[in-house]
């Protein structure tokens, strides 16, 4: 008995299936782009805040001349 398994036949993709696939792909790409932009904005704001905090901390570390000296 040499029953070879029958290979799967590719199913034909109709126009409606492909249209939905393209729409879902476009939606995911748009959501990914929006998410990337929002994440980049948060990173830039956090970096700016970190730089401001470093400058403020350096100003606090500078010795202030005292009146009593």
């Amino acid at each position: 008995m040499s029953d070879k398994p029958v290979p799967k036949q590719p199913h034909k993709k109709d126009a409606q299936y492909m249209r939905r696939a393209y729409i879902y792909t476009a939606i995911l790409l748009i959501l990914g782009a929006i998410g990337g932009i929002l994440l980049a904005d948060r990173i830039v704001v956090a970096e700016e805040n970190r730089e401001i905090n470093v400058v403020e901390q350096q100003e606090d570390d500078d010795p202030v001349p005292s009146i009593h000296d």
Side-chain angles (χ1 to χ4, degrees), residues 40-57:
D41 183 52
R42 289 188 65 177
I43 291 171
V44 168
V45 169
E47 185 68 23
E48 289 172 354
N49 288 340
R50 187 182 66 82
E51 290 175 2
I52 291 171
N53 289 339
V54 168
V55 170
E56 288 176 353
Q57 188 176 23

PDB file of all heavy atoms in Angstrom, residues 40-57:
ATOM      1  N   ALA A  40       7.163  57.995  20.227  1.00  0.00           N
ATOM      2  CA  ALA A  40       8.273  58.916  19.966  1.00  0.00           C
ATOM      3  C   ALA A  40       8.055  60.235  20.699  1.00  0.00           C
ATOM      4  O   ALA A  40       9.002  60.798  21.259  1.00  0.00           O
ATOM      5  CB  ALA A  40       8.413  59.146  18.468  1.00  0.00           C
ATOM      6  N   ASP A  41       6.826  60.719  20.719  1.00  0.00           N
ATOM      7  CA  ASP A  41       6.518  61.960  21.428  1.00  0.00           C
ATOM      8  C   ASP A  41       6.791  61.811  22.920  1.00  0.00           C
ATOM      9  O   ASP A  41       7.370  62.700  23.547  1.00  0.00           O
ATOM     10  CB  ASP A  41       5.069  62.366  21.174  1.00  0.00           C
ATOM     11  CG  ASP A  41       4.724  63.695  21.822  1.00  0.00           C
ATOM     12  OD1 ASP A  41       5.464  64.671  21.580  1.00  0.00           O
ATOM     13  OD2 ASP A  41       3.727  63.748  22.574  1.00  0.00           O
ATOM     14  N   ARG A  42       6.385  60.680  23.488  1.00  0.00           N
ATOM     15  CA  ARG A  42       6.629  60.454  24.917  1.00  0.00           C
ATOM     16  C   ARG A  42       8.118  60.386  25.216  1.00  0.00           C
ATOM     17  O   ARG A  42       8.582  60.875  26.245  1.00  0.00           O
ATOM     18  CB  ARG A  42       5.951  59.167  25.380  1.00  0.00           C
ATOM     19  CG  ARG A  42       4.437  59.289  25.443  1.00  0.00           C
ATOM     20  CD  ARG A  42       3.814  58.092  26.065  1.00  0.00           C
ATOM     21  NE  ARG A  42       4.211  58.004  27.456  1.00  0.00           N
ATOM     22  CZ  ARG A  42       3.782  57.084  28.293  1.00  0.00           C
ATOM     23  NH1 ARG A  42       2.954  56.165  27.872  1.00  0.00           N
ATOM     24  NH2 ARG A  42       4.170  57.055  29.531  1.00  0.00           N
ATOM     25  N   ILE A  43       8.885  59.778  24.317  1.00  0.00           N
ATOM     26  CA  ILE A  43      10.328  59.681  24.519  1.00  0.00           C
ATOM     27  C   ILE A  43      10.960  61.070  24.468  1.00  0.00           C
ATOM     28  O   ILE A  43      11.806  61.406  25.295  1.00  0.00           O
ATOM     29  CB  ILE A  43      10.953  58.741  23.467  1.00  0.00           C
ATOM     30  CG1 ILE A  43      10.516  57.299  23.733  1.00  0.00           C
ATOM     31  CG2 ILE A  43      12.472  58.852  23.464  1.00  0.00           C
ATOM     32  CD1 ILE A  43      10.893  56.332  22.640  1.00  0.00           C
ATOM     33  N   VAL A  44      10.547  61.890  23.519  1.00  0.00           N
ATOM     34  CA  VAL A  44      11.101  63.242  23.392  1.00  0.00           C
ATOM     35  C   VAL A  44      10.760  64.068  24.621  1.00  0.00           C
ATOM     36  O   VAL A  44      11.625  64.760  25.174  1.00  0.00           O
ATOM     37  CB  VAL A  44      10.582  63.919  22.104  1.00  0.00           C
ATOM     38  CG1 VAL A  44      10.912  65.391  22.097  1.00  0.00           C
ATOM     39  CG2 VAL A  44      11.157  63.230  20.887  1.00  0.00           C
ATOM     40  N   VAL A  45       9.527  63.997  25.088  1.00  0.00           N
ATOM     41  CA  VAL A  45       9.119  64.766  26.272  1.00  0.00           C
ATOM     42  C   VAL A  45       9.885  64.288  27.503  1.00  0.00           C
ATOM     43  O   VAL A  45      10.367  65.102  28.299  1.00  0.00           O
ATOM     44  CB  VAL A  45       7.591  64.658  26.489  1.00  0.00           C
ATOM     45  CG1 VAL A  45       7.185  65.213  27.844  1.00  0.00           C
ATOM     46  CG2 VAL A  45       6.863  65.371  25.372  1.00  0.00           C
ATOM     47  N   ALA A  46      10.049  62.986  27.656  1.00  0.00           N
ATOM     48  CA  ALA A  46      10.790  62.449  28.800  1.00  0.00           C
ATOM     49  C   ALA A  46      12.253  62.887  28.749  1.00  0.00           C
ATOM     50  O   ALA A  46      12.847  63.224  29.777  1.00  0.00           O
ATOM     51  CB  ALA A  46      10.691  60.931  28.829  1.00  0.00           C
ATOM     52  N   GLU A  47      12.835  62.894  27.562  1.00  0.00           N
ATOM     53  CA  GLU A  47      14.220  63.334  27.413  1.00  0.00           C
ATOM     54  C   GLU A  47      14.358  64.815  27.753  1.00  0.00           C
ATOM     55  O   GLU A  47      15.310  65.223  28.426  1.00  0.00           O
ATOM     56  CB  GLU A  47      14.699  63.069  25.977  1.00  0.00           C
ATOM     57  CG  GLU A  47      16.148  63.364  25.750  1.00  0.00           C
ATOM     58  CD  GLU A  47      17.082  62.422  26.481  1.00  0.00           C
ATOM     59  OE1 GLU A  47      16.678  61.304  26.819  1.00  0.00           O
ATOM     60  OE2 GLU A  47      18.231  62.834  26.721  1.00  0.00           O
ATOM     61  N   GLU A  48      13.417  65.633  27.320  1.00  0.00           N
ATOM     62  CA  GLU A  48      13.452  67.067  27.650  1.00  0.00           C
ATOM     63  C   GLU A  48      13.326  67.266  29.163  1.00  0.00           C
ATOM     64  O   GLU A  48      14.035  68.089  29.744  1.00  0.00           O
ATOM     65  CB  GLU A  48      12.338  67.806  26.926  1.00  0.00           C
ATOM     66  CG  GLU A  48      12.552  67.936  25.437  1.00  0.00           C
ATOM     67  CD  GLU A  48      11.346  68.506  24.711  1.00  0.00           C
ATOM     68  OE1 GLU A  48      10.290  68.698  25.361  1.00  0.00           O
ATOM     69  OE2 GLU A  48      11.469  68.756  23.504  1.00  0.00           O
ATOM     70  N   ASN A  49      12.413  66.516  29.786  1.00  0.00           N
ATOM     71  CA  ASN A  49      12.240  66.645  31.242  1.00  0.00           C
ATOM     72  C   ASN A  49      13.491  66.190  31.979  1.00  0.00           C
ATOM     73  O   ASN A  49      13.868  66.784  32.990  1.00  0.00           O
ATOM     74  CB  ASN A  49      11.035  65.834  31.710  1.00  0.00           C
ATOM     75  CG  ASN A  49       9.731  66.469  31.293  1.00  0.00           C
ATOM     76  OD1 ASN A  49       9.674  67.651  30.991  1.00  0.00           O
ATOM     77  ND2 ASN A  49       8.678  65.668  31.258  1.00  0.00           N
ATOM     78  N   ARG A  50      14.151  65.159  31.479  1.00  0.00           N
ATOM     79  CA  ARG A  50      15.367  64.680  32.121  1.00  0.00           C
ATOM     80  C   ARG A  50      16.457  65.740  32.027  1.00  0.00           C
ATOM     81  O   ARG A  50      17.158  66.005  32.996  1.00  0.00           O
ATOM     82  CB  ARG A  50      15.844  63.384  31.468  1.00  0.00           C
ATOM     83  CG  ARG A  50      17.012  62.727  32.201  1.00  0.00           C
ATOM     84  CD  ARG A  50      17.498  61.476  31.492  1.00  0.00           C
ATOM     85  NE  ARG A  50      18.083  61.766  30.199  1.00  0.00           N
ATOM     86  CZ  ARG A  50      19.343  62.187  30.006  1.00  0.00           C
ATOM     87  NH1 ARG A  50      20.131  62.368  31.039  1.00  0.00           N
ATOM     88  NH2 ARG A  50      19.795  62.403  28.795  1.00  0.00           N
ATOM     89  N   GLU A  51      16.584  66.379  30.869  1.00  0.00           N
ATOM     90  CA  GLU A  51      17.590  67.423  30.705  1.00  0.00           C
ATOM     91  C   GLU A  51      17.293  68.614  31.607  1.00  0.00           C
ATOM     92  O   GLU A  51      18.208  69.201  32.192  1.00  0.00           O
ATOM     93  CB  GLU A  51      17.660  67.856  29.244  1.00  0.00           C
ATOM     94  CG  GLU A  51      18.259  66.807  28.333  1.00  0.00           C
ATOM     95  CD  GLU A  51      18.215  67.191  26.869  1.00  0.00           C
ATOM     96  OE1 GLU A  51      17.738  68.304  26.556  1.00  0.00           O
ATOM     97  OE2 GLU A  51      18.660  66.382  26.053  1.00  0.00           O
ATOM     98  N   ILE A  52      16.033  68.971  31.746  1.00  0.00           N
ATOM     99  CA  ILE A  52      15.655  70.079  32.633  1.00  0.00           C
ATOM    100  C   ILE A  52      16.001  69.727  34.072  1.00  0.00           C
ATOM    101  O   ILE A  52      16.545  70.549  34.813  1.00  0.00           O
ATOM    102  CB  ILE A  52      14.157  70.413  32.478  1.00  0.00           C
ATOM    103  CG1 ILE A  52      13.900  71.045  31.102  1.00  0.00           C
ATOM    104  CG2 ILE A  52      13.689  71.321  33.595  1.00  0.00           C
ATOM    105  CD1 ILE A  52      12.432  71.208  30.773  1.00  0.00           C
ATOM    106  N   ASN A  53      15.713  68.482  34.476  1.00  0.00           N
ATOM    107  CA  ASN A  53      16.009  68.064  35.843  1.00  0.00           C
ATOM    108  C   ASN A  53      17.512  68.057  36.104  1.00  0.00           C
ATOM    109  O   ASN A  53      17.956  68.408  37.193  1.00  0.00           O
ATOM    110  CB  ASN A  53      15.426  66.688  36.122  1.00  0.00           C
ATOM    111  CG  ASN A  53      13.912  66.713  36.205  1.00  0.00           C
ATOM    112  OD1 ASN A  53      13.325  67.766  36.447  1.00  0.00           O
ATOM    113  ND2 ASN A  53      13.283  65.577  36.001  1.00  0.00           N
ATOM    114  N   VAL A  54      18.294  67.671  35.116  1.00  0.00           N
ATOM    115  CA  VAL A  54      19.749  67.662  35.282  1.00  0.00           C
ATOM    116  C   VAL A  54      20.255  69.083  35.459  1.00  0.00           C
ATOM    117  O   VAL A  54      21.092  69.349  36.322  1.00  0.00           O
ATOM    118  CB  VAL A  54      20.431  66.969  34.069  1.00  0.00           C
ATOM    119  CG1 VAL A  54      21.927  67.205  34.075  1.00  0.00           C
ATOM    120  CG2 VAL A  54      20.134  65.482  34.077  1.00  0.00           C
ATOM    121  N   VAL A  55      19.751  70.030  34.661  1.00  0.00           N
ATOM    122  CA  VAL A  55      20.165  71.433  34.776  1.00  0.00           C
ATOM    123  C   VAL A  55      19.764  71.984  36.137  1.00  0.00           C
ATOM    124  O   VAL A  55      20.553  72.666  36.807  1.00  0.00           O
ATOM    125  CB  VAL A  55      19.562  72.274  33.626  1.00  0.00           C
ATOM    126  CG1 VAL A  55      19.772  73.749  33.878  1.00  0.00           C
ATOM    127  CG2 VAL A  55      20.147  71.845  32.294  1.00  0.00           C
ATOM    128  N   GLU A  56      18.550  71.700  36.583  1.00  0.00           N
ATOM    129  CA  GLU A  56      18.097  72.188  37.894  1.00  0.00           C
ATOM    130  C   GLU A  56      18.940  71.586  39.008  1.00  0.00           C
ATOM    131  O   GLU A  56      19.285  72.266  39.969  1.00  0.00           O
ATOM    132  CB  GLU A  56      16.623  71.853  38.106  1.00  0.00           C
ATOM    133  CG  GLU A  56      15.684  72.687  37.266  1.00  0.00           C
ATOM    134  CD  GLU A  56      14.236  72.265  37.436  1.00  0.00           C
ATOM    135  OE1 GLU A  56      13.973  71.240  38.098  1.00  0.00           O
ATOM    136  OE2 GLU A  56      13.366  72.959  36.888  1.00  0.00           O
ATOM    137  N   GLN A  57      19.298  70.320  38.876  1.00  0.00           N
ATOM    138  CA  GLN A  57      20.097  69.671  39.905  1.00  0.00           C
ATOM    139  C   GLN A  57      21.509  70.272  39.931  1.00  0.00           C
ATOM    140  O   GLN A  57      22.075  70.475  40.998  1.00  0.00           O
ATOM    141  CB  GLN A  57      20.169  68.167  39.646  1.00  0.00           C
ATOM    142  CG  GLN A  57      20.813  67.392  40.770  1.00  0.00           C
ATOM    143  CD  GLN A  57      20.781  65.902  40.514  1.00  0.00           C
ATOM    144  OE1 GLN A  57      20.677  65.477  39.369  1.00  0.00           O
ATOM    145  NE2 GLN A  57      20.863  65.131  41.570  1.00  0.00           N
TER     146      GLN A  57
END
